[in-house]
Structure formats: C-alpha cells, structure tokens
Amino acid sequence: MSVDPPSSGRPTGPPSGPLSGPSQPPSGGGPPSEPPSGGGSNEPEPRRPWWGSVPRVAIIATAVVAAVVLAVVLSRPDNGGTGASDGGTSTSSGEVFLQPAADTGPDEFTESTAQEDSSASPVTPSGDTESAPQNTVRGVNGDAPGLYGGTRNVASCDVEKQIKYFEDAPDKERAFASVVRIQPSEVPAYLRSLTPVQLRMDTRVTNHGYKNGAATSYQAVLQAGTAVLVDDRGVPRVRCACGNPLSRPVAQQSAPKTTGKGWPGYKSSNVVMVTPAPQPVDEFVMCEPDGEWFKREAGDTGNKDHKTKKPDKPSPSASVTTPTAPTDSTSSQPPTSEPPTSDTDTSGPTTDEPPSSDTQQPPPDSNTGNTGSDTGGGTTEQAPAS
C-alpha cells in the first residue's frame, strides 16, 4: 500500500545535511564568538602614530628650523647680543660715549698715569664747521702744528709707571697687546716709542676697555685736554687716565647718539678725528697754556723740548670727507708691531681691529644717559662728530 505525503508539503523527518551549528564547543574552550552584526566586518582600522602624518611632520620641522634660525640671529654679536668676550654690538648702533679729560671712565686697563691736569689750551679747528651729512667726518692730519699741547719739558703721561702697571697685571698686558697687534713682551718698547701729549680738540676715537679678562671696544669722544700717547704718525694710541689702548674711529652711517658726561662748550661740529700723517713725524709742534710754542721729538718724554716760533696757521685745519671701506695700508702702524689689517684709509675713519673677537660694543653703562645739547645737555647729534 502506498502512503501519500502530507498535503502540507513540510518535511516530516530530520534534514539530510549536517546541523547548522557545531554540536561541540570550540576547541579553545572559551565562549563562542558573537556573530558579526550587519552581515559584514566593520572593525576599525588601527591608528597610525602621530609622526606618520605628513602634514604634522612638515609643521614640526618648520618650527624646529625657525627656532634654530632665531637662536643663531639672537646670538650674533652684530644683533645686539653679547659676544664671547666683548659683549659687542654692531658699529651701526650709532652711540658715542663722551669722556671728560679727568675721568678714568669704566672698564679701565690701569690706574691713571696722567701727570698734567688738562693744561692744554683748547682750540677750534679751522675750515668748514657747518653741519655735514651724517655719513661724513672731519679729519686733521697727525702732524698738524697746534693739534697737540702741553707744558714744555713736562710729560703728560708717566710712561714708566704705565709699563709697571702692565708688568704687575699680565692678563691686562696680554689684552692690551692683542689690540695693538704685538706680543706681550713688546709692550714696554711699544709704550716707550710713543709720545706723551695733550689733545687740544675734542677727538673721536675707538676706545678699548678691559672687561671679563678681554679687551672690549666702543666709540668715544675725548675732551680737549685729555692726556694721550701718540704714535709716529700722530695718531692717539693710549689714553693715560685709564691705560686704555686707542685706535682710529669706525665709520658710522647714521647720526650718532651721545651718551656719558658732556662738558661746557661741547659741540659736535668741532669734534675731529686724527688721520695719520703722510710721513713719520720727527717733531711735534705743540702749544703751551700760556700761548708759547715748542717742539717735542717723537718718542721723547719732554727732556729734549725746545722753543719754536708760532706757526703761520696755529689752528689746525679740518677737512670734511666721506668714510670709505678699509683697505690695506701701512699708514699709522704701531712702531713695533705688524700692521693692523684694517687700519687704513686716511679719508675716513677706520678701526685697528684686534685679532680676537673685538667687535664694537655700545658705550659703557657707567655715567650714561643722553647728554644735553651740543653744550653737554641731552639730545642726539645731527651729524657724526668725526
């Protein structure tokens, strides 16, 4: 007898295939994994490290480079930062320190060796005294009669005392020697080769102080009456009130601002710089306070002074010139040294630059503050004094 299948069409027995799920738990012994939802895999991708982002790397690299550049710029001596030994700034800072004749001043090398108290009679330079453009200077030759003064048979500086000071301070002697480009052992002979005189005009120089074991430098105007030692071309080389070495001024392209103590009668238009004489000077024609004239041999301390007649032009003539870049020259060399590499051009101010890192500094902090007008009060000069 045949059996008809149920009319519902549903199977009545177990399925022919395997069951839909495993009959035993997974071999790992853990709970079965949950089935993925949504019918697909939506697991998040692993996060990349921050340094794997190209934009972020570029931003960070740019910041690092900027920080390095800023550090280099701020540490450069010509950007107002301090150097290794001199704390110097660029010569374009435009500051000039006024130094009265009797003041020792800051950062001195030695005690004063000046033997006369501003006895020289001041004189106004002849020639054009009108205000000049800010990039010009007024120069007087180092052999001009009447440029220097003093008392006959009296040295304005005690050279042997100066030598003794350096012998007792070898560190300062070495710093001094570095400025004038000689060996420390040559300092005594170098000082004895110079001539003691007094300035008769307010004179612009580069003054070199002593600070933190090394020579520094700054632009200065020395008052008429200041005792100095000059070389055989008539250029001031040592300021006797402090033992500081001096060199010719540095050209500035902007109107300088004066700091320090002014003095009665100061006028920027009367300030001069000394340019080296064309030939070595045998005798300096000098004026005494009483108006008498005498000659002093180069390198002599006054023992051989002798009277002379008044020169035809007792007031030295100053000429206005435009500063130029330094060039190699043999003018105004220290008598016992190698010629400075930058001591040159007589048409404008240059500098005898020391071999070490002697860059230009702002004027010393001592007794600073703007001076007055041209009579010592407190405004900025309208043109470079020298």
Side-chain angles (χ1 to χ4, degrees):
M1 172 188 289
S2 63
V3 179
D4 293 332
S7 60
S8 65
R10 290 179 297 181
T12 60
S16 60
L19 297 177
S20 60
S23 60
Q24 298 295 331
S27 60
S33 60
E34 295 182 1
S37 60
S41 175
N42 290 330
E43 294 184 6
E45 295 183 3
R47 296 181 62 185
R48 287 180 295 178
W50 63 269
W51 56 82
S53 171
V54 173
R56 288 180 179 176
V57 169
I59 293 173
I60 293 171
T62 301
V64 171
V65 171
V68 171
V69 171
L70 181 62
V72 171
V73 170
L74 292 179
S75 63
R76 288 178 56 186
D78 60 355
N79 196 50
T82 56
S85 62
D86 56 7
T89 65
S90 170
T91 58
S92 62
S93 62
E95 292 183 319
V96 178
F97 190 62
L98 300 183
Q99 294 193 277
D103 278 11
T104 300
D107 303 338
E108 70 276 9
F109 266 76
T110 68
E111 296 180 23
S112 176
T113 61
Q115 298 194 118
E116 291 186 275
D117 186 16
S118 304
S119 61
S121 55
V123 63
T124 300
S126 62
D128 183 14
T129 59
E130 296 181 359
S131 295
Q134 64 181 17
N135 64 337
T136 59
V137 295
R138 305 184 69 216
V140 178
N141 279 352
D143 59 354
L147 175 60
Y148 299 119
T151 302
R152 185 163 56 96
N153 301 128
V154 177
S156 57
C157 304
D158 189 333
V159 175
E160 296 305 316
K161 188 176 181 180
Q162 186 73 58
I163 293 172
K164 183 65 167 59
Y165 278 142
F166 281 128
E167 288 177 348
D168 295 338
D171 290 343
K172 291 183 176 181
E173 186 175 54
R174 281 192 293 270
F176 181 94
S178 73
V179 174
V180 298
R181 296 293 184 93
I182 60 177
Q183 296 298 317
S185 60
E186 297 177 302
V187 169
Y190 171 73
L191 292 173
R192 292 186 180 110
S193 73
L194 304 178
T195 308
V197 298
Q198 284 190 345
L199 302 175
R200 297 186 71 213
M201 301 178 183
D202 296 341
T203 303
R204 170 84 170 273
V205 297
T206 297
N207 197 338
H208 300 269
Y210 181 82
K211 187 176 182 180
N212 298 329
T216 64
S217 66
Y218 55 92
Q219 297 304 291
V221 173
L222 307 183
Q223 183 187 11
T226 299
V228 296
L229 299 175
V230 300
D231 65 13
D232 64 350
R233 301 299 180 99
V235 178
R237 291 301 181 182
V238 180
R239 185 171 184 261
C240 302
C242 53
N244 290 7
L246 306 173
S247 56
R248 294 166 60 199
V250 175
Q252 292 179 310
Q253 299 303 317
S254 61
K257 179 178 68 176
T258 56
T259 60
K261 293 181 179 179
W263 48 85
Y266 169 79
K267 291 185 66 176
S268 62
S269 59
N270 288 337
V271 176
V272 300
M273 62 163 285
V274 179
T275 57
Q279 300 294 330
V281 180
D282 295 325
E283 293 182 321
F284 293 95
V285 179
M286 303 167 59
C287 184
E288 293 195 77
D290 60 3
E292 295 294 325
W293 291 79
F294 67 98
K295 291 183 178 180
R296 176 169 295 172
E297 293 184 10
D300 185 58
T301 57
N303 296 327
K304 301 178 182 179
D305 290 352
H306 54 277
K307 286 187 176 183
T308 188
K309 65 178 182 179
K310 183 178 179 178
D312 294 335
K313 295 181 178 180
S315 181
S317 177
S319 59
V320 177
T321 57
T322 301
T324 57
T327 57
D328 291 333
S329 172
T330 58
S331 64
S332 191
Q333 300 177 20
T336 59
S337 69
E338 294 295 325
T341 57
S342 62
D343 188 7
T344 56
D345 191 12
T346 61
S347 64
T350 59
T351 181
D352 302 325
E353 202 162 336
S356 59
S357 59
D358 188 22
T359 55
Q360 291 296 314
Q361 290 183 237
D365 294 332
S366 174
N367 295 326
T368 57
N370 290 344
T371 64
S373 60
D374 280 344
T375 58
T379 59
T380 303
E381 296 182 23
Q382 297 302 313
S386 53

